[in-house]
Amino acid sequence: MTGERKRLLLEIVGFIVVVALVAVYAVRRSGGIGEPVTLEDQRIMMGTVVSMTVFTHDEERGRDAIEAAFAEVARVEALTSRHAEEGELSRINTAGRRRERVAVSRELATVLERSLHFSRLSGGAFDVTVAPLVALWLGPDGVRVPSAAAVRAALPKVDYRKLKVNTGAGTATLPASMTVDLDGIAKGYAVDRAVRTLRLRGIEAAIVDAGGNIGLLGEPPRGGMWRVGIKHPRGEGLLGTLFLERGSAATSGDYQHFVVVEGVRYHHILDPATGRPATGVMSVTITAARAIDADALSTTVFVLGAEKGMKLVEELDGVEAVIVTGGEAVDGIIVSSGLKERFTEGS
């Protein structure tokens, strides 16, 4: 059994009770006449839990829409996973060992180019060529601590500037020994595609959540704003709540995958410049019009740190952030200017 399959199996076993509870749609009817039915389902996909909540007056249409949206997430997973042996991304990584240009779909080329956009924007804080480092820090049982020598050896293989993408021609070129990992942006893209699928199927209000990458469709059934909770990075409850009209939100945190060794917390959000977990920030939540952007920026800002990260956020139109700083305890919550009236601290 490969390490990746073993890790995924452990996640599935830990989630099997939940799957049993949601194998059929949970239908909740409100007491009001003419109010919509709420349909929910969740499944393990893209290495996380993907959940969908649809509000509809037509149950059959709602169920069909949810199935179609899950099928779209599965398609995106096959497109963007470096572990899918027959997938497009695997072809790029294989070709990279031979320093070849490889033909890719316009869709994958667009996702790669969007990744490079955030790499250029952040000076490399976001870098999809980080795969060699990810392989060192993430093992079959989760986060592990590699030797300093192994990290130094992997660093020359990480450089987004060496990944060449031609969206017009539909090609990608990667130098020998380098590999691409789209985990920092693919879930957001999948959420965008799922929301689009639901909309095209006639759904007017829905929530899609892929491991903390959230897409919102329409408005809540009873009007007002969507309430999006931000998990406390060191506690069981919520750090606070966002009130959003539309769009998406994504959170990256050092509590999602980590190990503590001799009192030091090592997590999965790596700084491409050092090859080690980024420090100083506990979690970053980004709101943006598109989930693909929120996903990439939550990682970007986490790596940049609170000061540089918030400076970048304030320079971007339609992007807001909540940055939580600290080590073993929260020592600061920094909210961007456009969210100050739409964020409430506490559970």
Side-chain angles (χ1 to χ4, degrees):
M1 180 183 294
T2 65
E4 179 62 24
R5 288 190 177 184
K6 180 180 178 183
R7 185 160 63 91
L8 183 57
L9 178 60
L10 290 172
E11 292 177 0
I12 292 173
V13 170
F15 193 66
I16 196 166
V17 174
V18 179
V19 171
L21 293 174
V22 299
V24 295
Y25 291 95
V27 180
R28 297 199 308 268
R29 297 181 184 276
S30 59
I33 297 175
E35 292 190 7
V37 170
T38 301
L39 304 177
E40 298 176 311
D41 196 5
Q42 53 185 327
R43 303 175 190 179
I44 296 177
M45 308 176 79
M46 304 189 79
T48 189
V49 179
V50 178
S51 65
M52 300 195 192
T53 304
V54 164
F55 306 94
T56 179
H57 291 90
D58 186 331
E59 291 184 32
E60 184 176 0
R61 171 183 286 184
R63 292 189 180 101
D64 289 344
I66 288 175
E67 287 299 327
F70 274 123
E72 182 65 1
V73 173
R75 188 191 66 80
V76 172
E77 180 175 19
L79 177 77
T80 60
S81 174
R82 66 188 176 95
H83 304 294
E85 295 181 1
E86 303 300 322
E88 283 195 57
L89 189 60
S90 291
R91 292 208 307 271
I92 294 175
N93 288 337
T94 300
R97 297 170 195 155
R98 301 188 297 270
R99 204 182 184 92
E100 291 180 357
R101 179 182 293 113
V102 60
V104 298
S105 66
R106 183 71 59 86
E107 182 178 20
L108 182 58
T110 300
V111 174
L112 288 168
E113 182 53 43
R114 194 62 179 166
S115 302
L116 292 176
H117 165 75
F118 289 112
S119 296
R120 292 187 288 265
L121 191 68
S122 64
F126 184 83
D127 193 333
V128 294
T129 67
V130 75
L133 290 171
V134 173
L136 289 179
W137 285 92
L138 279 179
D141 300 318
V143 176
R144 59 190 178 187
V145 182
S147 68
V151 171
R152 286 195 301 271
L155 279 173
K157 303 174 185 178
V158 179
D159 188 346
Y160 72 91
R161 295 167 296 186
K162 295 178 181 178
L163 171 62
K164 307 299 181 183
V165 179
N166 187 323
T167 54
T171 61
T173 306
L174 193 66
S177 79
M178 293 181 67
T179 48
V180 171
D181 186 327
L182 291 176
D183 283 356
I185 197 169
K187 294 182 191 68
Y189 179 63
V191 167
D192 285 334
R193 296 296 303 183
V195 168
R196 177 180 183 274
T197 299
L198 293 173
R199 185 177 64 249
L200 292 177
R201 292 281 179 143
I203 302 302
E204 296 180 354
I207 306 167
V208 178
D209 183 351
N213 296 277
I214 298 171
L216 304 172
L217 174 60
E219 64 178 34
R222 298 185 181 181
M225 305 181 90
W226 297 102
R227 297 165 61 94
V228 178
I230 299 177
K231 186 184 183 305
H232 195 293
R234 294 294 183 270
E236 295 299 322
L238 294 179
L239 177 85
T241 302
L242 293 172
F243 296 85
L244 304 179
E245 293 180 355
R246 63 182 68 85
S248 65
T251 297
S252 291
D254 68 357
Y255 55 86
Q256 294 164 327
H257 302 286
F258 71 95
V259 65
V260 177
V261 178
E262 296 181 354
V264 178
R265 177 184 295 255
Y266 298 93
H267 57 81
H268 71 297
I269 305 173
L270 305 178
D271 183 344
T274 65
R276 301 178 64 80
T279 59
V281 172
M282 301 169 81
S283 77
V284 172
T285 299
I286 297 287
T287 67
R290 298 195 300 169
I292 188 174
D293 294 346
D295 190 7
L297 281 169
S298 65
T299 300
T300 301
V301 172
F302 193 107
V303 173
L304 284 173
E307 183 177 351
K308 291 181 180 178
M310 189 57 80
K311 181 177 184 296
L312 174 62
V313 167
E314 296 288 9
E315 292 172 352
L316 298 175
D317 291 336
V319 175
E320 303 295 341
V322 176
I323 302 175
V324 184
T325 61
E328 286 309 306
V330 173
D331 63 24
I333 301 174
I334 308 168
V335 183
S336 62
S337 57
L339 270 188
K340 290 186 183 296
E341 302 300 319
R342 293 186 287 139
F343 172 73
T344 301
E345 189 175 341
S347 54

